Amino acid sequence: MAEVDFEKLVEEFYMPLYRFALSLSRNESDAFDFTQQTFYAWAAKGHQLRDTSKVKTWLFTTLYREFLAKKRRDERFVDVEEDVVFAEPPQISPSVINEIDATIVQEALHRLDERYRAPLTLFYMEEHSYREIAEILSLPLGTVMSRISRGKAELRRQLSDLAAEESRKILPLKGDAR
Amino acid sequence: MKEDAFLRGILSIHRGIDSESDDPCFAEAREKAESDPILGQWWAQEKELDRVIGSKLASVHLPAGLKARLISRPTLPARPRPAWTRAALLAAACLVALAVLFGSWRGPFQPAVSLADYRDEMVGFIKVDPNLEMKSPDLAQVTDWLQKNRAPSRLNLPKNLQGLEPIGCRTLRFRGRDVALICFKRKEGSLLHLFVIDRAALPEMAKSSGPEISREGNWMAAGWGDGDEFYLITVQGDRQAIEAYLSDT
């Protein structure tokens, strides 16, 4: 395949890759390492990829595999298949979300189980089709859809909880106390 | 009712983007949403909510200097090029030579970069303490290492800067050029960072001689060209703090 300029590649993909890594690892330092390892892997093996249209999927797949490899080293990782279920997510008003900042949305995402976190992050990035998400995560298409559906429902519950926690943090001014 | 919940479940994961338009599973649910105003309105709200959540996630803070750190990877062994590639490169070189000869070449392939671009990226990089690839208090060892790693290593520094003890160095990449970063220990305990790049990387500075001083937050930066090199130093503090390193007295 044609040579892909390394710096241009980093320029184009470092932000979504880092954000995906951050959502998986929930840790800035690990997120950096996963992103860096992904680009290292590209520098070493990227030339083997024959189809340039697959570069983005290749990078995300590689990053996810790096994450899984570390996870398997850190703990015994058991991935079980589940039934395909599409659930209507609980209602939450866009105005509530508008009042919440990026940190809280990220915190809510980080509270989810990894099996939902990974597909949901790729879903919200809107950079990948469902087939690409399935390829990146090495999961059947139906499982991806099901996990996104469940993940969205769980994310909204977490956002509601966090919004409630935030509102409890707002204390009355001393002058108001009687 | 059960069917309605199932449809909403399907629509809730349908982002309405091009890559999903042909999916039969989504197509059927979409048709239903188009013919049912209540379902259609519900789906529109869902997509709006997803858009807001997606935009919040996309605005998550990225660490300072992330891109520069990712680009500054170790040099990888060059892959052997097939013979046809060498021939193609030779042909390309001939074309460039001809273009230059007949005056039709409009300059470098990449758009010119400004000092501000360079300074912002370098200052962003050192806002988080950089990892050093080589540590030594001996400047000769530091420049030796830089030379071996094909980074700029010829230093012609003001005397006050020469008086500082280095702690180490590393290489970076900026728009396809190697940059040497040397960290020095200041008397107050904080660090002074010196970046050296080939002057040709910053064409707008080609004729400039005097140092250009600027502030970015609590960082001061001074850049100047000398010979074939362009130097940039950064310190935390005020203008006086950085000017102290620019003089020979």
Side-chain angles (χ1 to χ4, degrees):
Chain A
M1 65 172 252
E3 289 279 327
V4 177
D5 182 85
F6 183 80
E7 285 190 40
K8 280 188 188 154
L9 189 85
V10 173
E11 174 82 42
E12 190 173 350
F13 294 112
Y14 82 100
M15 283 197 275
L17 280 172
Y18 176 82
R19 290 195 173 111
F20 182 44
L22 186 62
S23 91
L24 294 171
S25 63
R26 298 179 284 191
N27 171 313
E28 284 197 3
S29 168
D30 285 348
F32 175 77
D33 287 346
F34 288 133
T35 313
Q36 190 175 49
Q37 281 162 17
T38 302
F39 285 123
Y40 276 11
W42 172 265
K45 298 182 209 158
H47 62 280
Q48 294 168 5
L49 185 68
R50 305 225 170 269
D51 181 357
T52 41
S53 67
K54 290 270 185 186
V55 171
K56 184 175 70 175
T57 307
W58 189 97
L59 290 169
F60 279 83
T61 306
T62 303
L63 190 146
Y64 188 61
R65 285 182 185 162
E66 292 283 353
F67 166 74
L68 286 183
K70 182 175 189 298
K71 193 174 165 70
R72 288 193 177 109
R73 284 196 297 273
D74 291 348
E75 61 191 74
R76 189 149 177 80
F77 180 67
V78 182
D79 199 7
V80 288
E81 279 307 312
E82 64 243 62
D83 295 333
V84 175
V85 175
F86 298 117
E88 181 183 343
Q91 278 303 298
I92 184 167
S93 153
S95 63
V96 171
I97 302 288
N98 268 324
E99 286 164 18
I100 295 172
D101 63 14
T103 311
I104 292 181
V105 178
Q106 192 186 14
E107 168 63 24
L109 188 68
H110 286 182
R111 286 186 179 190
L112 304 188
D113 188 285
E114 184 268 319
R115 78 180 54 199
Y116 302 131
R117 212 163 61 237
L120 206 54
T121 304
L122 296 172
F123 170 85
Y124 280 120
M125 280 182 180
E126 287 197 1
E127 293 202 10
H128 308 273
S129 67
Y130 274 98
R131 287 194 191 285
E132 285 171 340
I133 297 176
E135 194 180 329
I136 289 165
L137 305 178
S138 296
L139 289 171
L141 194 57
T143 307
V144 167
M145 290 175 156
S146 176
R147 287 189 184 184
I148 288 170
S149 180
R150 290 178 194 206
K152 276 186 79 172
E154 186 53 31
L155 181 72
R156 292 196 188 177
R157 277 190 279 275
Q158 294 294 348
L159 282 170
S160 298
D161 289 353
L162 281 165
E165 283 172 30
E166 280 299 302
S167 65
R168 282 198 292 274
K169 283 182 193 167
I170 302 168
L171 300 172
L173 293 170
K174 278 185 182 170
D176 294 342
R178 301 199 186 241
Chain B
M1 206 59 175
K2 206 171 175 180
E3 192 204 10
D4 195 41
F6 180 75
L7 273 177
R8 288 180 184 221
I10 295 276
L11 286 171
S12 76
I13 61 164
H14 181 18
R15 297 167 289 185
I17 59 176
D18 289 347
S19 63
E20 293 161 10
S21 57
D22 296 335
D23 191 305
C25 168
F26 290 139
E28 195 184 330
R30 198 169 56 236
E31 271 173 31
K32 291 256 170 67
E34 280 161 5
S35 61
D36 178 344
I38 297 172
L39 190 63
Q41 194 183 4
W42 178 88
W43 186 39
Q45 282 172 354
E46 275 293 306
K47 284 192 287 187
E48 174 58 14
L49 195 52
D50 285 338
R51 191 196 60 74
V52 175
I53 293 176
S55 69
K56 301 263 179 194
L57 287 172
S59 66
V60 165
H61 158 82
L62 298 175
L66 175 66
K67 191 177 81 182
R69 280 161 186 261
L70 290 168
I71 289 172
S72 65
R73 82 227 193 272
T75 311
L76 289 150
R79 294 197 308 279
R81 290 180 187 279
W84 67 266
T85 313
R86 284 197 296 275
L89 285 173
L90 188 63
C94 291
L95 282 173
V96 169
L98 285 169
V100 170
L101 190 65
F102 292 105
S104 62
W105 190 40
R106 299 287 179 220
F109 294 108
Q110 290 193 343
V113 287
S114 68
L115 171 61
D117 292 335
Y118 175 63
R119 188 178 53 223
D120 291 351
E121 208 159 307
M122 296 303 111
V123 172
F125 184 76
I126 43 91
K127 276 182 178 168
V128 179
D129 282 345
N131 291 323
L132 297 177
E133 293 172 303
M134 185 270 186
K135 288 184 183 175
S136 169
D138 183 341
L139 192 57
Q141 284 183 2
V142 168
T143 51
D144 265 5
W145 185 90
L146 289 169
Q147 192 180 16
K148 280 175 193 154
N149 286 276
R150 292 178 293 170
S153 57
R154 281 174 298 172
L155 302 181
N156 187 15
L157 303 174
K159 271 190 184 152
N160 286 356
L161 203 48
Q162 289 174 28
L164 295 179
E165 184 183 297
I167 59 168
C169 67
R170 67 168 297 153
T171 61
L172 302 169
R173 297 277 292 170
F174 175 75
R175 313 286 165 94
R177 306 260 183 182
D178 290 311
V179 180
L181 164 61
I182 308 174
C183 299
F184 293 91
K185 209 185 290 176
R186 294 170 70 197
K187 281 179 191 160
E188 313 85 277
S190 62
L191 296 179
L192 179 146
H193 304 282
L194 166 69
F195 298 92
V196 190
I197 192 169
D198 186 333
R199 200 166 174 170
L202 299 163
E204 74 168 44
M205 303 304 292
K207 288 171 189 164
S208 162
S209 51
E212 196 173 309
I213 300 175
S214 61
R215 166 179 288 283
E216 191 180 319
N218 57 346
W219 288 88
M220 291 300 297
W224 71 97
D226 190 341
D228 291 336
E229 274 74 40
F230 186 82
Y231 301 94
L232 178 77
I233 59 169
T234 64
V235 293
Q236 281 178 300
D238 55 17
R239 191 179 177 98
Q240 213 179 344
I242 202 158
E243 279 178 338
Y245 297 106
L246 300 173
S247 72
D248 285 325
T249 52

